[in-house]
Amino acid sequence: MTHGFTTCAYLGPEGTFTQAALHRLPPPGAGTAHRAFPSVPAALDAVRRGECGAAVVPLENSVRGVVPATMDELARAGLHITAEVEVEVAFALMAPPGTDLADVTEVFSHPHALGQCADWLAEHLPGARTRPADSTAAAAREVAEAGPAGLAAVAAPPAAGLYGLRTLATGLGRRAGAVTRFVRVAQPWFPPARTREDRTSLVVAPGDGGPGGLAEVLRAFASRGIEVSRVHSWPTGERLGSYRYFVDAEGHIENPAVREAVSTLTARSVDVRFLGSYPRWTGDRAHRPGTTAAGPRATAA
């Protein structure tokens, strides 16, 4: 088994949207191998243990919002984001050969995929139950290997051929052009060198300052001309109403204005944890030569 930066973990099994995202990122090292894990926590724990040098996991979707498992893991210490990529989402309903749409009584998939396809499922399979899976490809594999009669999966269109399933319908997503943002994470180290299009991610806990605490955080960046492109609140788990904030600020931590904003917050006793500075995803020009997003459009996780 290869280790270190020669192995990159990802949310598997084969055929996930995450695997498609992995192939759109430049490899973290020469001759990088890929290893599938059954869940986001399992993939990231492999990085913490040093079993894998990096991992690619879903962070947020343009329709369903953030991925809770990834946010929970990033809230813990010990990981830095080193790269990001966005992949367009498309969904297909698939089942074992011989199954027709009218036969489906239960639909299995990742919660984000089920959420994005809820309208289609309500219209075309109003009596079908839904059941969550760790990933869309895991749902397809289970349906293929041991699924009872009437079970179907929502997954990436290529997963049907990969797992020997019959495609019953395509285009299930709630919105055309939906995308999922993925990040590659590694153990804390020096961030990638500055480019002209960087992003810095932070976890910020303003303490008991209430709404004014978040306003102070945003002012620290706005007063220095730094755009804050995303703010996600996330419970600390300590008590009701206690939150930390995931902040994406445009620019590299080595940019004097970004570093000064962070230093100012720290001096005011705001708890700031650096999650990484990395090149901001700017579209298909970041595509590696000779690769595609896993052929046809991929799915949610």
Side-chain angles (χ1 to χ4, degrees):
M1 180 185 300
T2 51
H3 296 285
F5 278 93
T6 59
T7 304
C8 187
Y10 71 95
L11 175 62
E14 187 178 358
T16 59
F17 191 17
T18 309
Q19 186 184 33
L22 183 152
H23 288 296
R24 299 188 76 167
L25 288 166
T32 302
H34 304 148
R35 182 179 170 189
F37 284 82
S39 67
V40 167
L44 297 181
D45 280 345
V47 177
R48 289 191 179 97
R49 294 192 305 269
E51 186 177 334
C52 294
V56 175
V57 293
L59 180 63
E60 63 177 325
N61 176 265
S62 61
V63 176
R64 296 294 294 177
V66 298
V67 178
T70 303
M71 297 293 276
D72 283 339
E73 291 295 319
L74 290 178
R76 299 168 54 191
L79 294 173
H80 278 181
I81 299 171
T82 63
E84 70 172 6
V85 62
E86 295 176 4
V87 182
E88 190 173 348
V89 173
F91 301 95
L93 183 72
M94 55 196 70
T99 303
D100 293 323
L101 186 63
D103 301 325
V104 176
T105 58
E106 189 170 17
V107 180
F108 194 31
S109 195
H110 188 273
H112 267 55
L114 292 174
Q116 291 180 68
C117 298
D119 292 346
W120 190 96
L121 293 172
E123 178 181 353
H124 298 277
L125 293 170
R129 300 182 302 274
T130 58
R131 184 154 58 94
D134 286 329
S135 71
T136 54
R141 185 177 64 182
E142 180 167 329
V143 168
E145 292 178 351
L151 181 62
V154 169
L162 190 62
Y163 293 106
L165 298 174
R166 177 189 179 194
T167 299
L168 303 181
T170 58
L172 276 64
R174 181 174 296 173
R175 294 182 185 174
V179 299
T180 296
R181 177 189 177 197
F182 292 84
V183 291
R184 186 170 64 210
V185 300
Q187 291 189 15
W189 197 244
F190 299 110
R194 277 191 293 179
T195 70
R196 293 185 177 181
E197 295 173 318
D198 295 304
R199 174 169 288 151
T200 293
S201 293
L202 308 162
V203 176
V204 181
D208 296 325
L214 177 58
E216 180 181 2
V217 171
L218 298 178
R219 263 196 311 272
F221 292 98
S223 64
R224 292 167 175 83
I226 302 166
E227 179 183 356
V228 173
S229 54
R230 289 177 179 87
V231 178
H232 297 302
S233 63
W234 206 246
T236 64
E238 297 172 359
R239 64 185 182 282
L240 189 65
S242 176
Y243 292 93
R244 60 174 65 90
Y245 298 92
F246 289 79
V247 175
D248 283 344
E250 300 307 303
H252 198 281
I253 192 64
E254 293 179 359
N255 180 317
V258 175
R259 183 175 291 277
E260 183 180 322
V262 172
S263 297
T264 297
L265 291 173
T266 302
R268 294 175 182 172
S269 300
V270 175
D271 183 10
V272 181
R273 182 154 54 81
F274 176 68
L275 280 184
S277 289
Y278 47 92
R280 178 167 52 87
W281 176 251
T282 55
D284 284 343
R285 67 183 179 79
H287 225 126
R288 289 170 51 206
T291 67
T292 66
R297 295 179 192 172
T299 186

